[in-house]
Amino acid sequence: MDHTSIDDVGIQNNPLGVHSERRPVSDALDTSDFAMNFFRLQPGESFSGGLHTHHDQEEVFYVEEGEATFTVGRDGDTEAVVSGGELIRFEPGEFQQGTNTGDDELVGWALGAPKSKHDWDEIESIVYCQECEKETGHGLSLTDAGRFELTCMECDNSFTS
């Protein structure tokens, strides 16, 4: 058995600086088959750095307080608003990005399975490629310096954020 409180879980934010508080609860509880992250998002902040998918993981977001707008689909052409007390599920391979679009702080949870850690080779982000001059799918990896390296899946152009 493992036991902790949210206040005892250290803050580990996304290298892109898109949120001010992310606490990896699954690390604190030493889970292996289930990911759990606690978020406190200020207006305009997001759970992740952009429209993305996990090809190897199902994700559920629970909005405890506040309101999030999720951009959904590879083209980002669908939106879903999730208010306090509501949940939303994304199957593996479904593109999404959740942002605090409300006027107040958002408190929420990101839950994923079947692993507690992402397989970096199974994450795909949609970002602008300067070489292709359009939005394309990019593979994602984490550098030794703790930054993201994105590689275009169409032309192989890479950049670090």
Side-chain angles (χ1 to χ4, degrees):
M1 176 185 82
D2 289 305
H3 176 244
T4 192
S5 86
I6 290 299
D7 293 337
D8 290 338
V9 179
I11 296 173
Q12 291 182 2
N13 290 333
N14 182 308
L16 298 175
V18 296
H19 46 250
S20 51
E21 186 177 342
R22 173 189 167 270
R23 296 178 185 260
V25 178
S26 50
D27 286 352
L29 294 176
D30 198 29
T31 65
S32 60
D33 301 315
F34 179 73
M36 178 188 291
N37 292 291
F38 172 84
F39 289 88
R40 198 177 301 277
L41 304 178
Q42 300 309 310
E45 293 183 341
S46 67
F47 289 99
S48 66
L51 189 63
H52 72 286
T53 186
H54 306 274
H55 291 288
D56 65 338
Q57 190 175 50
E58 175 176 33
E59 277 192 295
V60 172
F61 291 87
Y62 170 61
V63 176
E64 188 174 329
E65 299 173 15
E67 181 176 279
T69 299
F70 285 86
T71 303
V72 183
R74 184 177 188 89
D75 297 325
D77 53 2
T78 303
E79 284 191 350
V81 176
V82 182
S83 299
E86 296 180 340
L87 302 101
I88 189 168
R89 173 192 172 264
F90 298 100
E91 62 185 57
E94 189 171 11
F95 284 85
Q96 51 85 8
Q97 176 185 8
T99 304
N100 179 357
T101 52
D103 295 329
D104 300 315
E105 179 178 82
L106 180 149
V107 175
W109 298 81
L111 313 166
K115 301 181 207 173
S116 66
K117 300 280 185 200
H118 300 298
D119 181 346
W120 291 102
D121 293 336
E122 296 295 326
I123 298 175
E124 182 181 351
S125 293
I126 303 296
V127 296
Y128 182 80
C129 176
Q130 293 180 347
E131 191 72 25
C132 295
E133 297 182 341
K134 63 181 179 178
E135 301 267 324
T136 62
H138 281 65
L140 189 68
S141 61
L142 194 59
T143 69
D144 291 339
R147 300 185 56 95
F148 287 131
E149 181 177 34
L150 292 104
T151 304
C152 178
M153 297 173 136
E154 291 189 24
C155 73
D156 233 17
N157 183 47
S158 294
F159 69 94
T160 304
S161 62

